[in-house]
Amino acid sequence: MLISYNLLKELISFDLSPDEFEQSLTMLGIEVESITNLKDKYKNFISAHIIEVNPHPDADKFTICRANIGKEETQVICGAPNVKAGQKVIIGLPGSILPRNNQLLERRSIRNVESSGIICSLWELDLGDDHSGIWILDDNIEPGISLSELKFNDDVIMEIGITPNRADCLSHFGIAREISALIGKPFDKREIKFSDVTNSSKQQYQVIIEDIDKCQRYSARIIRGVSNSQSPEWLILCLVSLGFRPVNTIVDITNYVLITTGQPLHAFDLERLNGVKVIMKPADDGQKFITLDEKERILDNDMLMICDETKSIAIGGIMGGQNSEISLETQNILLESAYFDPRNIRRTAKKLGISSEASYRFERGVDPDGIIYASDLASSMIQSICGGIIEEPIIDCYPKKIENNWSKLRYDRTRKLIGCNISNNQILDIIEKLNFETRNHSNGGFEFKAPSYRVEISEEIDAIEEVARLYNYDNIPSDFSSTIDFRTGEVPNQLKIPQLRQEIRRFLVPKGFVEILTQNQTHPRFAKLFNPSPIFISNPLGEELSVMRTSLIPSILKTIALNINFGSKNLRLFEIGKVFIKDTQNLNTVIPNVLEKEHLVIAISGSSEPNHWSREQNSADYYDIKGIVEELIDYFKLDNFIKFESSSNSEMFTKQCQTLIYKDTQIAYFGMVNKNILNIFEVEADIYLVNLDLSEIYKIVVPEPVYIPVSAFPKVARDLAFLVDSSITSEELKQAIRLAGGEFLQSLEVFDVYKGENIETNMKSIAFSIYFQSKERTLTDADIQPAISNIEKSLYEKYKAVLRKA
């Protein structure tokens, strides 16, 4: 933001030089990014009186001008069509630098005629967009006066960087208040007087706020009979020097009040409004609206619109509409001064890609109590420059007053945090210099309430920071000592690092997997794929990071898509991270009503193994991801707790998918990702993925390993093939065989699955190798046959499985 040193001195009397002023602002926590001294910027640009204008002998488009520049005369070649003898102009002498393009002016010859500088246009001086001709000054201007002194009183323009929490400093009033608190001199607002008002109106206008969450206060003032035109020169030069583009007097005045008070205003052409109501209400989804920049915007129902009785006329707090803009023909205006919800303005501006001077301030928070003053100041200026009659009283709709809360400030706490022995009186004096209200004073402290323009002050720590800031950080002694707490204590269970987490990394990394780390925030569209009600963030950086993630799958799929686009197609990735869902069970969560769960997601894409000349390259398939899951379960000795089941998760996976069950609860699912999901993330490859709820895994208590002596007796193997319905899984048969296999059953595995010739269409053959062994003796057929018979009987009763004969 640009501020004028001279404009500040009009608001508050101070003796600080520009350099001292810069140092003071820096000490107050306001960064001065650059300083432009207009005396240096416009050095050697002086007023001149053109005495004589003659045609150039060798160039039809040029004239030779003789001009008085004060103590002497000079000759300048000029190509402007509007140059005439007797005019007062600005001449740039040799050695000066044109502000517009940083061109050094030198004495030079043009077609054999010497020229000592140029006669300047507003464009060349960086004071406007008009480069059609030279800038003609008033006739009463004396020659030989520097441009900086003549038009800017040798002003100094400073560019300051304001942090998002200091919305109160986005104006000259705000900076003046800071200087007032620093030097102890009062800052007085300008006195406002209206010369011509009326208390009667032909039509009594109404302000109706339908959405008080998005618009807490709205005022409207009617001014009739104005004569709009180009702004006076002082106003144009003031706005241009502070980075604004002049439009017309009424619009320029609203911008001038904006940079002075920090309150955005908007003027509507009253004759272009229908009816006598101004209504604040949400836009319709998909509504189209043309803003002042002539662009069509697509709106949604989260955006606030300013409307008359038949149409929308502005996007509240962002930008006005082309259908109600002020023109040079405007005679009656409705002047808006309002307070809009900062969060809604921020979201709307982000969605529409608009960053206006108004939205920049509204989204940080304006002074709700300064709305009427800003409207009065603008109305007074409009009346004094454009004429007109102001209708009283102002229409002010303020359904629910916005007030800062009372908070307690403790003297000892303030001294402890600041780190120096500042007295009670000094603390109180600083707080009162900042215009805080105080009450209930005691030896221990007092209660305070911040002024309405300090929207960021709400707690004791905020006020303590203000005390430190005004006390001057340079006055706080440096202390490089530290205190180490050697006490030991139990870390809360919710914050303990699970030992299994690191073990999972040690398991996956040697198998060629690479760990990724992604953000906890994501786009609502991705979060809703896994939970219809994600947790929204109150102050997001943008819509793409506006909700807490409900699954790790979108993150890993986006990472895969990015890597594939960069040519890395053979991927083995995993991530361990938190997902966030709403707590519907009233659990004792770290963050109230937010349930955090730790998940593991593993994904495979491309080749199943690294390329090598000695073997054929094979693409990863379902059995690769299933193998990783089985190895993981076996590695952590979880096979006695977890069972596999077929899945019907057709939205996420193809038919090749399964789930893991622990105590009747689904804790994982894995398989080949559905093409519809891959298309959302623009992934053009087959992806095999497992998503595991580690929070449930951490709950499983695995018994300590027990040594079992190796049997000295041989194993006995039996191969059994069963004909079963195609819907029956091998895992279901395995569980049944284990239960029916008896005391000598040691292990079993599937060695063949067959469908086809000699097998009914809806049937399949699953063959098992089953191993029996005793610790005490060698087994005989008499020991094993009862187990085989029991297995056959059990599988038939449960699954109608029939032993397949050779």
Side-chain angles (χ1 to χ4, degrees), residues 302-445:
D302 190 45
M303 300 175 184
L304 183 73
M305 300 302 293
I306 315 298
C307 309
D308 62 20
E309 292 189 36
T310 61
K311 65 181 182 296
S312 297
I313 56 176
I315 304 173
I318 306 290
M319 188 176 288
Q322 195 179 49
N323 59 4
S324 59
E325 69 176 320
I326 298 294
S327 67
L328 294 178
E329 288 73 38
T330 297
Q331 295 182 347
N332 303 316
I333 66 171
L334 183 147
L335 184 64
E336 166 195 290
S337 183
Y339 181 93
F340 298 104
D341 175 56
R343 291 170 297 180
N344 182 257
I345 295 294
R346 193 178 305 117
R347 287 196 299 267
T348 302
K350 180 74 174 178
K351 288 178 183 177
L352 297 178
I354 301 176
S355 180
S356 63
E357 292 289 340
S359 67
Y360 182 74
R361 287 162 174 81
F362 276 130
E363 67 187 26
R364 285 159 176 78
V366 299
D367 178 9
D369 289 352
I371 287 170
I372 301 302
Y373 178 86
S375 180
D376 288 346
L377 178 59
S379 300
S380 174
M381 292 181 66
I382 290 172
Q383 189 176 64
S384 64
I385 299 173
C386 303
I389 298 174
I390 297 171
E391 291 189 0
E392 284 285 312
I394 189 172
I395 307 164
D396 182 21
C397 186
Y398 197 2
K400 185 177 180 181
K401 187 172 176 59
I402 302 170
E403 286 190 295
N404 285 330
N405 297 323
W406 287 95
S407 299
K408 178 78 173 178
L409 180 67
R410 296 164 288 179
Y411 292 128
D412 289 341
R413 176 69 171 164
T414 302
R415 282 187 282 269
K416 182 178 179 180
L417 288 180
I418 293 177
C420 64
N421 192 26
I422 180 172
S423 69
N424 293 357
N425 288 336
Q426 283 178 296
I427 294 171
L428 179 59
D429 182 57
I430 289 173
I431 288 296
E432 290 183 339
K433 280 182 178 179
L434 289 166
N435 298 324
F436 283 50
E437 293 182 53
T438 62
R439 70 182 186 187
N440 296 338
H441 297 263
S442 67
N443 291 332

Side-chain angles (χ1 to χ4, degrees), residues 666-677:
Q666 177 181 299
I667 61 170
Y669 45 84
F670 64 90
M672 181 179 181
V673 181
N674 196 309
K675 291 293 183 184
N676 294 333
I677 297 294

Side-chain angles (χ1 to χ4, degrees), residues 1 3 7-8 11-12 21 25 28 30 160 162 166-182 187-189 257-263 361 365 367 373 433-435 451 453-454 456 466 469-470:
M1 186 187 79
I3 59 171
L7 184 51
L8 284 170
L11 299 175
I12 181 171
F21 184 78
L25 285 184
L28 289 168
I30 301 170
I160 59 175
I162 303 297
R166 291 307 306 273
D168 62 298
C169 289
L170 290 171
S171 67
H172 286 74
F173 272 17
I175 301 301
R177 282 190 291 255
E178 291 289 294
I179 298 301
S180 172
L182 179 67
F187 155 62
D188 296 321
K189 294 181 179 180
V257 173
L258 168 72
I259 61 177
T260 303
T261 67
Q263 173 63 46
R361 287 162 174 81
D367 178 9
Y373 178 86
K433 280 182 178 179
L434 289 166
N435 298 324
Y453 50 80
R454 294 303 300 272
E456 86 284 11
E466 293 299 292
R469 197 169 60 86
L470 268 293

Side-chain angles (χ1 to χ4, degrees), residues 769-783:
S769 289
I770 306 174
Y771 300 94
F772 300 90
Q773 189 177 36
S774 171
K775 300 175 185 178
E776 301 169 351
R777 58 188 173 85
T778 300
L779 298 176
T780 65
D781 285 344
D783 297 317

Side-chain angles (χ1 to χ4, degrees), residues 86-365:
Q87 292 174 334
K88 301 293 178 63
V89 295
I90 295 294
I91 287 182
L93 299 177
S96 58
I97 298 176
L98 278 179
R100 174 64 69 170
N101 54 19
N102 292 325
Q103 178 184 349
L104 175 66
L105 298 181
E106 299 176 309
R107 186 176 281 107
R108 57 183 296 194
S109 177
I110 300 176
R111 300 284 180 93
N112 300 319
V113 178
E114 186 177 88
S115 178
S116 299
I118 67 169
I119 303 176
C120 301
S121 67
L122 285 168
W123 183 84
E124 290 163 327
L125 294 169
D126 202 19
L127 295 176
D129 297 328
D130 185 8
H131 49 79
S132 60
I134 59 172
W135 181 18
I136 301 172
L137 306 178
D138 294 338
D139 290 338
N140 59 355
I141 300 295
E142 294 294 325
I145 305 174
S146 71
L147 173 59
S148 176
E149 178 186 354
L150 180 68
K151 294 298 183 182
F152 298 102
N153 193 25
D154 291 335
D155 199 3
V156 177
I157 304 298
M158 299 184 184
E159 183 175 6
I160 59 175
I162 303 297
T163 53
N165 64 310
R166 291 307 306 273
D168 62 298
C169 289
L170 290 171
S171 67
H172 286 74
F173 272 17
I175 301 301
R177 282 190 291 255
E178 291 289 294
I179 298 301
S180 172
L182 179 67
I183 65 177
K185 287 188 177 181
F187 155 62
D188 296 321
K189 294 181 179 180
R190 302 176 180 182
E191 185 179 354
I192 299 174
K193 293 182 180 179
F194 299 149
S195 60
D196 196 358
V197 299
T198 178
N199 290 319
S200 61
S201 175
K202 296 177 183 178
Q203 292 178 314
Q204 183 60 50
Y205 271 79
Q206 292 179 277
V207 169
I208 301 171
I209 302 176
E210 293 186 2
D211 192 336
I212 60 173
D213 291 329
K214 294 183 176 68
C215 178
Q216 285 91 341
R217 188 177 190 182
Y218 192 96
S219 72
R221 169 163 272 136
I222 309 298
I223 308 175
R224 298 184 184 274
V226 300
S227 178
N228 197 17
S229 61
Q230 182 180 347
S231 296
E233 187 179 83
W234 70 266
L235 181 55
I236 291 176
L237 295 180
C238 176
L239 291 175
V240 168
S241 67
L242 295 174
F244 284 77
R245 182 178 64 86
V247 180
N248 56 57
T249 304
I250 294 174
V251 174
D252 292 348
I253 287 173
T254 61
N255 285 330
Y256 178 82
V257 173
L258 168 72
I259 61 177
T260 303
T261 67
Q263 173 63 46
L265 303 173
H266 187 74
F268 299 99
D269 188 328
L270 194 62
E271 300 305 315
R272 303 179 72 176
L273 305 187
N274 298 324
V276 293
K277 294 179 181 178
V278 181
I279 307 167
M280 269 54 63
K281 62 182 181 181
D284 296 325
D285 266 330
Q287 178 183 342
K288 296 180 180 180
F289 183 73
I290 300 177
T291 47
L292 286 172
D293 56 5
E294 300 181 354
K295 294 181 180 179
E296 184 177 75
R297 312 287 180 176
I298 308 299
L299 312 177
D300 62 45
N301 59 12
D302 190 45
M303 300 175 184
L304 183 73
M305 300 302 293
I306 315 298
C307 309
D308 62 20
E309 292 189 36
T310 61
K311 65 181 182 296
S312 297
I313 56 176
I315 304 173
I318 306 290
M319 188 176 288
Q322 195 179 49
N323 59 4
S324 59
E325 69 176 320
I326 298 294
S327 67
L328 294 178
E329 288 73 38
T330 297
Q331 295 182 347
N332 303 316
I333 66 171
L334 183 147
L335 184 64
E336 166 195 290
S337 183
Y339 181 93
F340 298 104
D341 175 56
R343 291 170 297 180
N344 182 257
I345 295 294
R346 193 178 305 117
R347 287 196 299 267
T348 302
K350 180 74 174 178
K351 288 178 183 177
L352 297 178
I354 301 176
S355 180
S356 63
E357 292 289 340
S359 67
Y360 182 74
R361 287 162 174 81
F362 276 130
E363 67 187 26
R364 285 159 176 78

